[in-house]
Amino acid sequence: MRLKLIAAALPLVALAPVAVQSAGQPSRSPEEIYTTRCAYCHEAGGWGTRALAKRVPAGEAELRNRSSLPPAYTIAVVRRGIGAMPQFTPTELTDAELEALANWLDRGNR
Amino acid sequence: MAVLPPGLTQQAFDQAIAEFRAAIGEEWVFTSDADRASYLDPFDMGDQDDHASAAALAPSGVEDCRKILEIANRHKVPLWPISMGKNLAYGTAAPEMRGSVILDLKRMNRVIEVNEELGTAIVEPGVSFFDFKAELERRGSGLWMSGPAHSWGSVIGNALEHGVGYTPYGQHVETICGMEVLLADGSLVRTGLGALEGTKEWQAFRWPFGPGLDGMFTQSNFGIVTKMGLWLMPEPEGMAGVSIRVPAREDFHALIETLRPLRMTDVINAPYTIANGWRQITGGRVRSEVWDQPGAISRERMEELLAERGQGWWSVIFNLFDSPAALDLRLDKIRRAFAEKLPGATIDVQRWEQGQPQESWMRQEVSLAPLGVVDWGGNPGGHSDFGPIVAPLGDRAEEVYSIIEQRFLEYGKDPWIGMFGISSRALIFVADMFFTRTDAEETERCRRLFRQLCDDMADIGVGLYRTHLRFMDDAAAMHRWGDHALPRLNNRIKAALDPNGILAPGKQGIGSWEDGE
Ligand SMILES: Cc1cc2nc3c(=O)[nH]c(=O)nc-3n(C[C@H](O)[C@H](O)[C@H](O)COP(=O)(O)OP(=O)(O)OC[C@H]3O[C@@H](n4cnc5c(N)ncnc54)[C@H](O)[C@@H]3O)c2cc1C
């Protein structure tokens, strides 16, 4: 199930050699990034969700379902890490992509 | 607080940074605190700042790397190359030497070739296991990737570090066939048959006319690997997932003696994992739920927890890869071997055949789930391991195991030990340490335990498979034979290839092991 999601989310580039992931302009949508980079830990049952369930109000542990998540906070967490959550470098997730992702999470994934 | 490369003034460093910006583009030179923080080690055994970088550079290709090398040589700026930089447990993206500049190769992320007929590929450093798996699927490839337990890292970084996967191609360094390497002076070399213009055999055979140099660039600071050829496994017709419970502590010798011939003759045709009792009691809970006393979880408590779960003192898991009929033969041999030498063992088997949906025991899905274990001991959790290489002989394995178990208990750490039968003739022990990263007493105790074990192992002639940044000099110095002849040779090669010492100083202790931490 998860595999299918990822395969579907990847851009189909016909030419070889293929740039698997472009690190330049925000070519990837927030949802795509969330699904392929965050969801492993932040979906139901993931490590992030389990860790957060211990310290956030009921129903708020899954990041996608947060009633609010200040973008500046998400940006800081993703670059600096929190607890043992490993950070993301600016080559994995550009500033522009991270900002779009943080806004998307705060806006209830819209 | 500004972090600078050792020996450089702020002014000299600023000058170098300005030149890097002009060479590869403003946006690919990272100097802000937040950006540099993203290259720290989240699982470090101590203060992350000990291994802080001064900046990070992200070249788009070999030409950018060359420009960077030229500037770095002139200004004596140390560079720490990483591929994905997710070397979690061993330092992640952080450099050994504080103040190094990260050379982040993530943007060089092409899968250059997948050759279905020859079962080979050529990749660049930035290709992660996530990327590679997706690319093989996109191509509808009949070849399978062999990945480590978590998929965040890169195909190249993992293979260079002698990483391990769980298929017949699981000793990743042995799947390397030909590399492209950029040396510190900017010269570009292709190893193996890649040295021939117009070659079609670069990925076919490792051994060129003359010495094979691929190994020289693994776990090393002799060059920057810009491309790597590797072998991939054709999809098998079937798989069997085997899990074996072995009841008692005393069965260890017999277990090793039973597994060795099976692995050596390739009946077990992929790495197996042995877990001791402590390693099996972790899943689904945290340590404070099962133990509230000082020191390590006692053997009695651990055995109680094992009994609750119906587990044996040892567990062995591995997968077999073959056609269904051939799997029957392999399983028959395994069952007979255990019936003869370890009749108390229980063997469970799951099966898969080509065309059926894949299941989690096959370990073919990309995943980050294994990382969750770092919170076992406390939050924020950290994690590293002590990893000796041991011959799979009952006496030798018992000797090493007993020393490690006893030292862990002595230092108040749970002896959370796994053993990986990664090749036909070697076991890698992985004795994990989990700690609360911000607990200075605990991390210091773990570092002392690690160094104690280095001494213990060097005394009996056992070396390490890989270590966290913090112990690179210690691990290199264990190679004492001939007045440290091998580490000395490494130093000489380093001095010849990189006279300014700009590439990954401290890596594997090369050039630094005599000075210690
Ligand atoms: C819970 C857990 C489970 C793990 N399971 C496994 C496992 O099953 N198997 C396994 O092998 N590992 C495992 N690891 C360890 C590690 O996280 C992985 O090996 C990971 O793949 C390494 O990171 P990377 O591939 O991003 O390498 P990188 O961080 O990119 O590289 C590692 C090092 O290699 C050198 N290097 C990298 N690229 C280059 C280059 N192009 N040129 C020159 N030098 C270079 C650098 O010194 C760099 O620091 C595990 C870790 C944890 C925490």
Side-chain angles (χ1 to χ4, degrees), chain B residues 85-334:
Chain B
K86 296 298 167 195
N87 199 8
L88 296 157
Y90 302 115
T92 312
E96 200 274 351
M97 189 174 86
R98 188 171 188 277
S100 299
V101 169
I102 310 277
L103 185 65
D104 178 350
L105 305 171
K106 173 67 199 157
R107 289 175 70 208
M108 297 163 62
N109 63 357
R110 291 174 306 164
V111 175
I112 291 178
E113 184 185 298
V114 177
N115 186 324
E116 292 291 328
E117 291 148 304
L118 217 48
T120 62
I122 303 176
V123 296
E124 290 188 327
V127 177
S128 70
F129 289 101
F130 286 114
D131 298 334
F132 195 42
K133 174 94 184 174
E135 178 60 12
L136 291 174
E137 287 188 356
R138 192 192 67 80
R139 290 175 185 238
S141 175
L143 303 170
W144 277 16
M145 176 178 96
S146 178
H150 79 80
S151 314
W152 208 340
S154 68
V155 177
I156 286 192
N158 182 277
L160 288 180
E161 287 296 280
H162 305 173
V164 177
Y166 306 91
T167 72
Y169 288 49
Q171 198 178 359
H172 296 156
V173 68
E174 292 201 348
T175 67
I176 298 176
C177 191
M179 295 186 195
E180 183 183 272
V181 186
L182 190 59
L183 303 179
D185 67 357
S187 46
L188 194 65
V189 183
R190 289 191 171 181
T191 64
L193 299 173
L196 292 137
E197 278 176 2
T199 180
K200 297 225 181 311
E201 286 75 26
W202 194 12
Q203 274 63 58
F205 194 64
R206 296 197 177 90
W207 306 102
F209 185 76
L213 298 183
D214 283 355
M216 187 173 139
F217 297 103
T218 74
Q219 290 203 358
S220 109
N221 56 11
F222 297 153
I224 302 166
V225 177
T226 51
K227 289 186 182 66
M228 183 184 282
L230 54 135
W231 289 358
L232 298 174
M233 178 179 74
E235 177 176 345
E237 281 177 49
M239 273 176 75
V242 181
S243 74
I244 304 177
R245 274 169 296 161
V246 181
R249 166 70 183 86
E250 296 66 44
D251 293 330
F252 186 57
H253 192 282
L255 175 60
I256 298 295
E257 289 293 316
T258 310
L259 288 169
R260 185 191 56 252
L262 293 169
R263 183 79 177 104
M264 220 170 88
T265 53
D266 214 36
V267 172
I268 297 177
N269 62 353
Y272 59 81
T273 309
I274 306 175
N276 76 347
W278 282 276
R279 200 180 158 102
Q280 297 175 65
I281 59 174
T282 324
R285 50 193 168 192
V286 293
R287 190 173 185 276
S288 55
E289 290 164 10
V290 300
W291 187 248
D292 58 5
Q293 295 169 48
I297 299 176
S298 69
R299 177 166 164 177
E300 294 67 36
R301 177 65 182 136
M302 180 275 288
E303 286 175 349
E304 211 172 272
L305 291 164
L306 279 183
E308 271 172 25
R309 296 183 164 199
Q311 283 160 316
W313 223 98
W314 307 98
S315 105
V316 186
I317 54 166
F318 54 85
N319 289 333
L320 304 173
F321 300 72
D322 215 328
S323 64
L327 286 171
D328 290 341
L329 298 176
R330 287 176 191 271
L331 286 164
D332 176 57
K333 280 193 179 170
I334 292 165

Side-chain angles (χ1 to χ4, degrees), chain B residues 245-444:
Chain B
R245 274 169 296 161
V246 181
R249 166 70 183 86
E250 296 66 44
D251 293 330
F252 186 57
H253 192 282
L255 175 60
I256 298 295
E257 289 293 316
T258 310
L259 288 169
R260 185 191 56 252
L262 293 169
R263 183 79 177 104
M264 220 170 88
T265 53
D266 214 36
V267 172
I268 297 177
N269 62 353
Y272 59 81
T273 309
I274 306 175
N276 76 347
W278 282 276
R279 200 180 158 102
Q280 297 175 65
I281 59 174
T282 324
R285 50 193 168 192
V286 293
R287 190 173 185 276
S288 55
E289 290 164 10
V290 300
W291 187 248
D292 58 5
Q293 295 169 48
I297 299 176
S298 69
R299 177 166 164 177
E300 294 67 36
R301 177 65 182 136
M302 180 275 288
E303 286 175 349
E304 211 172 272
L305 291 164
L306 279 183
E308 271 172 25
R309 296 183 164 199
Q311 283 160 316
W313 223 98
W314 307 98
S315 105
V316 186
I317 54 166
F318 54 85
N319 289 333
L320 304 173
F321 300 72
D322 215 328
S323 64
L327 286 171
D328 290 341
L329 298 176
R330 287 176 191 271
L331 286 164
D332 176 57
K333 280 193 179 170
I334 292 165
R335 288 203 175 93
R336 279 191 286 121
F338 273 87
E340 189 193 318
K341 291 184 186 147
L342 261 176
T346 320
I347 303 181
D348 293 311
V349 178
Q350 288 168 290
R351 298 282 292 246
W352 171 85
E353 283 177 31
Q354 227 175 53
Q356 293 175 343
Q358 295 193 355
E359 291 179 48
S360 65
W361 61 265
M362 296 168 65
R363 308 184 74 159
Q364 292 306 308
E365 262 196 44
V366 282
S367 172
L368 294 180
L371 297 176
V373 75
V374 300
D375 274 340
W376 161 250
N379 184 297
H383 154 56
S384 191
D385 59 70
F386 183 78
I389 306 162
V390 183
L393 301 165
D395 289 346
R396 183 65 155 172
E398 178 64 52
E399 178 186 23
V400 173
Y401 178 84
S402 316
I403 293 173
I404 298 178
E405 187 193 276
Q406 200 232 312
R407 287 292 189 202
F408 267 65
L409 292 171
E410 189 184 321
Y411 281 72
K413 297 302 298 174
D414 309 333
W416 208 89
I417 303 172
M419 284 144 275
F420 295 77
I422 60 157
S423 83
S424 57
R425 286 164 180 83
L427 275 174
I428 303 290
F429 278 49
V430 175
D432 288 89
M433 297 177 193
F434 297 97
F435 43 83
T436 306
R437 200 188 64 224
T438 47
D439 181 337
E441 183 281 321
E442 190 182 17
T443 53
E444 196 264 341

